[in-house]
Structures are given as structure tokens and as C-alpha cells.
Amino acid sequence: KYGPLLVSVGTLAPRKGFHLVMEAVAKLKKRWPTLRFAIIGGDGPEGAMGAELKALATRLKVADRVIFAGPRQGRELAAWYAAADLSVLATSHEGCPNVVLEALACGTPVVATPVGSIPELLDSPEVGLVVERSVEALAAGIDKALERSWDRDRVRARIADRTWEVVGREQAEELRVAVSARSAVGAGLVSAREATP
């Protein structure tokens, strides 16, 4: 019988924190003897830690628990989220991470670090936990989240209102503000040049 499954999704870059989640899994292996961890992603412009992560899994004696699934898209990625007990994001910095939105859309609770929009997305204990970016905090958060019984419909409902139309309006407003700010800066530079003797 398979045990709990964690998934982390993203390019294999140091800032994504796959190594920290793996160390947390190593800390939890006695308490959760059948815990598994799937890393979904591949090399990207920020780095490629695949070989390093595989070596770390061996060193931590969790190689039999870690699944290197490679990059996945669309329905296949959704199937990984749906199969997982938790999605974990141990990132050092983000904006509004798609991987958190994707997990929530699949009804998968999230354990993630308090950067970017993550605290806003996980603003309810019904959808996930926000933890500090350390092995100890991640291990404690994962342990606490695995102990819970999650209502996956409630998790999914957290972002049910984020339709294409809503997101499109938000992006249009962001662009409008950026263009307006740029125009104001440009006008200021022209005025400054005109005022210079």
C-alpha cells in the first residue's frame, strides 16, 4: 500500500527549495515510513539541480522515496496534483506562483513559504499552511498537514472565482498602471530637460 505523497513542481533551480523538502522528508521518515516525494520539473534558465538532487537523495537515504518525474504538462500535471496529499513549495522568492494556484484548483492543500502572493493565497487554514523556509519548519508543517483531514472541495473553492475573465481584468489593470507610471516618468524627464538652461 502506498503512503502519503508530496509533490513539488518547478524548474530544478536552487531557489525552488527541492533540497529543503527532501531534507524534511528525511527527517519525517521514521514518523511517516511510507511517505513519498515527487519532484516534477526539469532544467530551466535559473539552473539545473537534477544530478545534485539525486545525489542528495542517496546521501539522505531517501532515494527510494523520491520520484524524479521530469517535466509534465496539462492533464498529466493535474493528475499528479490530484494524486498528491500535499503540494509543497519551499521557494525563496516568487510573485504569484502558478504552482500554488494549480494545486488549489486540483483540490490539493499546499504547504509553502511566506513569499510573494503565497500568504494571500493560503489565507485560510482550510487550504494550506504557510511556513518559514527552513528544514525544521517545513518538516513540522508537512507533518501537521499530513495529520489533517482536508476537504478537497473547500480547497478547490478557494480559487473558484479566478476565471480567465477575472485574471484578464487584473492583468489589464496592471498594464494600465505600468503604462501610466512610465508615461508620468517620461513627462517628468521632458519637463526637466526643458527646464535645464
Side-chain angles (χ1 to χ4, degrees), residues 7-8 37-42 54 66-72 76 80:
V7 296
S8 286
F37 174 39
I39 296 174
I40 303 171
K54 287 176 182 172
V66 179
I67 302 158
F68 289 91
R72 300 284 183 234
E76 201 175 356
W80 278 98

Side-chain angles (χ1 to χ4, degrees), residues 4 12 31 38 55 64 70 74 78 81 98 137 146 162 174 183:
L12 304 183
R31 179 148 164 68
D64 59 332
Y81 283 123
N98 282 336
L146 289 175
R162 291 198 58 80
E174 290 286 334
S183 297

Side-chain angles (χ1 to χ4, degrees), residues 88-108:
V88 184
L89 180 60
T91 184
S92 61
H93 61 277
E94 292 288 333
C96 182
N98 282 336
V99 296
V100 172
L101 296 171
E102 291 165 355
L104 295 175
C106 293
T108 307

Side-chain angles (χ1 to χ4, degrees), residues 9-141:
V9 179
T11 57
L12 304 183
R15 80 173 170 96
K16 295 293 185 178
F18 296 116
H19 58 295
L20 300 175
V21 181
M22 201 180 296
E23 288 184 47
V25 167
K27 278 188 169 294
L28 292 167
K29 66 183 179 180
K30 283 186 181 171
R31 179 148 164 68
W32 297 94
T34 56
L35 180 63
R36 295 162 301 140
F37 174 39
I39 296 174
I40 303 171
D43 298 350
E46 294 180 64
M49 292 182 69
E52 188 179 329
L53 289 169
K54 287 176 182 172
L56 179 62
T58 300
R59 202 161 57 249
L60 294 171
K61 297 182 170 51
V62 293
D64 59 332
R65 297 166 176 266
V66 179
I67 302 158
F68 289 91
R72 300 284 183 234
Q73 300 293 327
R75 289 185 180 172
E76 201 175 356
L77 180 56
W80 278 98
Y81 283 123
D85 294 87
L86 294 174
S87 177
V88 184
L89 180 60
T91 184
S92 61
H93 61 277
E94 292 288 333
C96 182
N98 282 336
V99 296
V100 172
L101 296 171
E102 291 165 355
L104 295 175
C106 293
T108 307
V110 178
V111 174
T113 47
V115 297
S117 298
I118 291 171
E120 296 161 38
L121 294 171
L122 305 182
D123 60 355
S124 164
E126 301 302 316
V127 300
L129 300 172
V130 178
V131 300
E132 293 304 317
R133 192 176 192 257
S134 72
V135 173
E136 293 73 20
L138 285 161

